[in-house]
Amino acid sequence: MPPDAAKVTGYVRQVVYDRLLEFKETHELKSISQAVTLVLENYFGISLLSPIKPVLPDRVSDLEEQMKQLSEVVTAIQVSIEKLSLELYKPTGIELELGKGLTQAELAQRFRVRESTISRNKSKLKFTEWSKRKDPEYISWAYSLQTKLFFPR
């Protein structure tokens, strides 16, 4: 202990103590005493020990990178779902000839929902189940990217 150091004793909650231990390890300090001193010096704007390493910006950068990776995965999944829904249903020649397809606006009117609701749900794997629950006659519907129309299944 340096000659001009004063002794401080106190009790803290376990969560505070745990964070102090984490702070000590993160900043590669030798003791809890050094950790407490560094935290207090930083709080009071006094620089006697080495400055606190900027841990938070590193954590934020890591989290931003993880979010970017997750966003890419979600986008890839959405593309896969869209491709699957295309493969699951393609209108037959007869359906195309008879013009049984409905536009998004027409289907929204039939379901008594907004067009945005149809738009949000049309590329989901369970669209046919969802559409059956919404349809007044319990008809399942499928979306064709080829024609941009909805067809009964």
Side-chain angles (χ1 to χ4, degrees):
M1 173 169 31
D4 65 337
K7 183 177 180 178
V8 176
T9 305
Y11 295 94
V12 295
R13 292 189 176 137
Q14 186 64 43
V15 66
V16 174
Y17 184 75
D18 292 342
R19 291 294 301 269
L20 193 57
L21 286 175
E22 182 183 328
F23 181 86
K24 177 188 149 244
E25 291 171 16
T26 302
H27 292 85
E28 300 168 358
L29 300 172
K30 294 178 184 173
S31 68
I32 293 290
S33 180
Q34 280 185 326
V36 170
T37 301
L38 193 53
V39 167
L40 291 173
E41 286 176 357
N42 185 58
Y43 179 80
F44 291 116
I46 303 167
S47 290
L48 299 176
L49 292 176
S50 60
I52 294 177
K53 295 176 188 175
V55 176
L56 190 57
D58 292 342
R59 286 184 180 171
V60 170
S61 295
D62 290 345
L63 290 173
E64 285 174 338
E65 181 60 31
Q66 288 175 0
M67 281 186 57
K68 181 182 173 191
Q69 291 171 356
L70 286 172
S71 178
E72 290 169 0
V73 169
V74 167
T75 300
I77 290 170
Q78 287 172 331
V79 167
S80 296
I81 288 172
E82 214 170 290
K83 287 179 182 176
L84 280 173
S85 66
L86 277 177
E87 292 170 11
L88 290 174
Y89 182 77
K90 295 194 184 222
T92 65
I94 294 170
E95 288 174 329
L96 291 173
E97 286 174 27
L98 295 175
K100 288 186 181 178
L102 297 181
T103 65
Q104 186 167 293
E106 291 167 334
L107 194 64
Q109 185 177 5
R110 180 178 175 94
F111 291 178
R112 295 185 179 171
V113 297
R114 292 190 171 116
E115 282 188 58
S116 60
T117 304
I118 302 291
S119 179
R120 200 173 41 249
N121 285 284
K122 70 183 176 189
S123 60
K124 293 183 179 176
L125 282 177
K126 296 190 176 192
F127 177 75
T128 54
E129 293 172 26
W130 177 83
S131 66
K132 187 175 184 177
R133 288 193 310 271
K134 292 291 183 184
D135 191 90
E137 298 174 33
Y138 301 104
I139 296 171
S140 295
W141 293 80
Y143 177 68
S144 168
L145 278 177
Q146 178 186 356
T147 63
K148 307 284 189 230
L149 295 173
F150 296 85
F151 293 91
R153 295 206 62 181

